Amino acid sequence: MKGGGAYISIGSSTSGINSMGSGSGSGSGSKMTLGKSVKMYLTIFIATTCIYMVLYQYHMSREPFAPSEVGKHQEKSSSSSYIASYLWSPMSLLMANATTTTTTTTVSSTTTTTATVSNAGQVGQGSSSGSIRTVSLAATRPTQASSLASASASAGGAAAHKTAAATTTTTSTTPPATVTTTTTTRANPIAKKGPASTSMSQSQLDAAHKIRPTFVAASEPPPLYIITPTYRRPEQLAELTRLGYTLKHVANLLWLVIEDANKTNPLVAHTLDRIGVPYEYMVAPMPEKYKQTKKAKPRGVSNRNRGLEYLRQHATEGVLYFADDDNTYDISIFEQMRYISKVGMWPVGLVTKTGVSSPIIRNGKLDGYYDGWIGGRKYPVDMAGFAVNIKFLRQRPHAQMPFKPGYEEDGFLRSLAPLDNDEIDLLADECRDILTWHTQTKKNPPAQALNKTRYSNTNLVHIDKLLVRP
Ligand code: UGA
Ligand code: MN
């Protein structure tokens, strides 16, 4: 809409200039003096040049450009379209006023845009510092630096997210400074249920973007808190590595890795550091009485409850998800779960004899659950098949996971009561798609001891230190 309006205004101003030129031309005829005709031709020449410049600038502004073309684009705006940029400034300003969720970024046309340091503000909750943010070109694919930065903001609590997003600016040093407006929008994957994120229509926003594509000050989507229980075993580092690199594709995420142990393991910390996903590494041992039992153990429960405790202390908004270290996750489920309003559910593949555990949707409504083992559960779902909004969790201060093998999910979801079935968001294409799988890694025997005499002064001595032995 906005783009259409702008386009029309270009058209009308163009024809305005044309008619002015042709008007004076037709009114003069042969009586015109030499001076007058020179004047007229000059006018036409200048007018034509202006039109070309306007059209050129408009054309350039419609060209989508790859991130690698940033430098080129800047050069263009600083040299060839110096005047055009002035011509366009009022238009840009108009656009700035018209949009509601914009971040106004002042871009110097002669200096390189640099990352700005914005103080994450209320990071008072233990997290150390302000965060460095970069202005990323691709709104939906923030740079590693920005995702790391968002992590420190996450760690400091959601308040930090807000402030950080609001203070992202790029400084301008030399004229002519063009005020440019960029709009970062994200399609709400559960738009059917969620409220529209802005008062402008998508076409308006798209059009606005086309008119003035430039640096995009990436605003953060709602944070994700991923609670991953883990425990010491030969496969541990492999599982964490695989999951970690999946999570690396997800922006604004804090990975809470919680080990069923009395102390942290430097090998785990080293693995997490190497992956580079923002994380907190904590321990929460299973109580002795459960460890000793010959029956089924409540696996990962103390870990997850520790995670909930952390979130109650540090998180104010966003979404929590329990991601076991051995499962398989399509990254699109993370983008969908950000916008859950209370609880969201979706199918999980490779669960029981049914091959999948899923909510049953009939006539667009949640109508029971499909799972090979119902076991009298109100919510017969797998741990990988639901996520919970943090604000909603905070309204349920006693919600936690019971130490009850087989009933961990059910017990936790029940503890979130009151929760109506129609308050449950149905993700993964309203549960028609499978985006998570309950994969199970083959158990490996503990590595045998290395013969240190035989292999002294070899690489094996180093590798041996990387093996997780029970
Ligand atoms: C299934 C579910 O997917 C789990 O979410 C649920 O906790 C479990 O059943 C159960 O009901 O006990 P499953 O694949 O059978 O999971 O169990 P694991 O993958 O072995 O363990 C689940 C999580 O707990 C994993 O992240 C694992 O690293 C962790 N865990 C396991 C511990 O922290 N301590 C343990 O002693 C065992
Ligand atoms: Mn598992």
Side-chain angles (χ1 to χ4, degrees):
M1 288 288 276
K2 197 68 209 169
Y7 182 79
I8 288 159
S9 79
I10 293 161
S12 55
S13 71
T14 301
S15 59
I17 293 166
N18 271 339
S19 63
M20 193 182 79
S22 64
S24 58
S26 69
S28 51
S30 55
K31 285 180 226 161
M32 204 200 279
T33 62
L34 181 68
K36 264 187 181 170
S37 72
V38 165
K39 230 179 182 179
M40 188 194 81
Y41 282 119
L42 260 176
T43 311
I44 291 169
F45 176 75
I46 291 166
T48 315
T49 312
C50 282
I51 292 163
Y52 271 117
M53 284 170 72
V54 167
L55 287 176
Y56 175 74
Q57 180 70 9
Y58 178 66
H59 172 74
M60 291 315 297
S61 72
R62 286 184 68 100
E63 285 274 298
F65 55 89
S68 58
E69 288 182 312
V70 180
K72 254 198 270 173
H73 184 76
Q74 279 183 303
E75 262 170 40
K76 274 176 201 156
S77 64
S78 63
S79 55
S80 61
S81 48
Y82 178 91
I83 301 170
S85 69
Y86 267 108
L87 287 170
W88 277 94
S89 293
M91 183 80 71
S92 315
L93 284 167
L94 263 175
M95 297 299 301
N97 292 337
T99 47
T100 49
T101 56
T102 52
T103 309
T104 306
T105 313
T106 316
V107 180
S108 158
S109 50
T110 50
T111 56
T112 324
T113 308
T114 50
T116 50
V117 177
S118 75
N119 195 337
Q122 302 72 13
V123 194
Q125 292 165 314
S127 175
S128 50
S129 60
S131 64
I132 298 170
R133 317 208 132 235
T134 55
V135 175
S136 139
L137 258 181
T140 49
R141 305 221 29 204
T143 59
Q144 174 56 19
S146 70
S147 87
L148 279 170
S150 69
S152 41
S154 318
H161 281 279
K162 280 194 210 144
T163 12
T167 53
T168 303
T169 50
T170 309
T171 44
S172 156
T173 47
T174 44
T178 345
V179 177
T180 56
T181 306
T182 55
T183 330
T184 310
T185 55
R186 280 182 177 77
N188 185 343
I190 50 168
K192 274 181 190 166
K193 296 201 169 213
S197 54
T198 73
S199 59
M200 287 182 82
S201 75
Q202 189 59 45
S203 59
Q204 281 176 311
L205 294 170
D206 285 350
H209 188 70
K210 275 177 194 152
I211 292 245
R212 203 67 187 149
T214 180
F215 297 101
V216 174
S219 69
E220 299 291 359
L224 288 179
Y225 296 92
I226 308 298
I227 296 178
T228 295
T230 189
Y231 71 111
R232 191 180 183 94
R233 62 201 192 279
E235 305 81 32
Q236 186 179 25
L237 302 183
E239 309 273 33
L240 290 171
T241 298
R242 185 174 45 195
L243 173 55
Y245 283 104
T246 296
L247 298 180
K248 204 166 179 176
H249 291 284
V250 186
N252 207 10
L253 171 151
L254 182 65
W255 190 17
L256 302 174
V257 179
I258 310 173
E259 183 156 343
D260 179 355
N262 293 309
K263 57 179 175 50
T264 56
N265 177 352
L267 285 178
V268 170
H270 175 251
T271 301
L272 300 178
D273 283 337
R274 185 164 64 186
I275 295 167
V277 166
Y279 73 89
E280 286 283 341
Y281 176 33
M282 294 171 271
V283 291
M286 183 186 291
E288 276 305 318
K289 61 175 173 181
Y290 301 116
K291 266 190 214 168
Q292 305 304 336
T293 184
K294 293 247 158 32
K295 293 187 270 176
K297 294 182 174 63
R299 283 168 290 178
V301 173
S302 52
N303 325 35
R304 297 189 193 98
N305 282 333
R306 176 68 188 90
L308 292 174
E309 188 189 319
Y310 178 95
L311 293 182
R312 289 191 169 106
Q313 282 170 6
H314 296 103
T316 53
E317 61 171 10
V319 162
L320 128 84
Y321 179 53
F322 297 118
D324 287 357
D325 58 1
D326 54 343
N327 292 335
T328 305
Y329 309 91
D330 183 310
I331 54 168
S332 68
I333 197 65
F334 297 107
E335 296 313 322
Q336 296 181 29
M337 70 174 77
R338 290 185 199 279
Y339 303 96
I340 286 170
S341 58
K342 288 184 175 170
V343 171
M345 290 184 180
W346 58 88
V348 182
L350 302 175
V351 175
T352 72
K353 62 187 178 199
T354 51
V356 64
S357 167
S358 176
I360 299 169
I361 316 303
R362 211 185 294 273
N363 300 324
K365 287 197 151 196
L366 177 59
D367 185 29
Y369 297 88
Y370 183 66
D371 192 296
W373 176 67
I374 300 297
R377 294 181 291 172
K378 181 178 182 190
Y379 300 107
V381 298
D382 187 78
M383 200 67 72
F386 67 91
V388 180
N389 181 286
I390 298 282
K391 282 195 172 121
F392 177 68
L393 176 79
R394 293 181 71 99
Q395 290 161 7
R396 308 286 186 275
H398 304 298
Q400 59 165 359
M401 192 163 286
F403 287 89
K404 200 175 165 190
Y407 293 83
E408 295 94 336
E409 298 89 345
D410 187 49
F412 173 68
L413 288 165
R414 280 173 189 257
S415 76
L416 294 173
L419 171 69
D420 283 351
N421 268 358
D422 58 14
E423 293 176 314
I424 297 175
D425 292 324
L426 305 166
L427 273 51
D429 194 14
E430 299 205 308
C431 300
R432 294 172 200 197
D433 206 352
I434 299 177
L435 299 173
T436 54
W437 293 264
H438 180 248
T439 41
Q440 290 172 292
T441 304
K442 178 181 84 71
K443 293 257 176 291
N444 294 270
Q448 66 178 32
L450 180 74
N451 184 334
K452 296 231 170 80
T453 327
R454 187 167 178 189
Y455 298 109
S456 64
N457 300 322
T458 72
N459 63 313
L460 302 186
V461 178
H462 296 269
I463 294 175
D464 189 63
K465 290 184 197 138
L466 302 176
L467 303 181
V468 178
R469 293 191 166 89

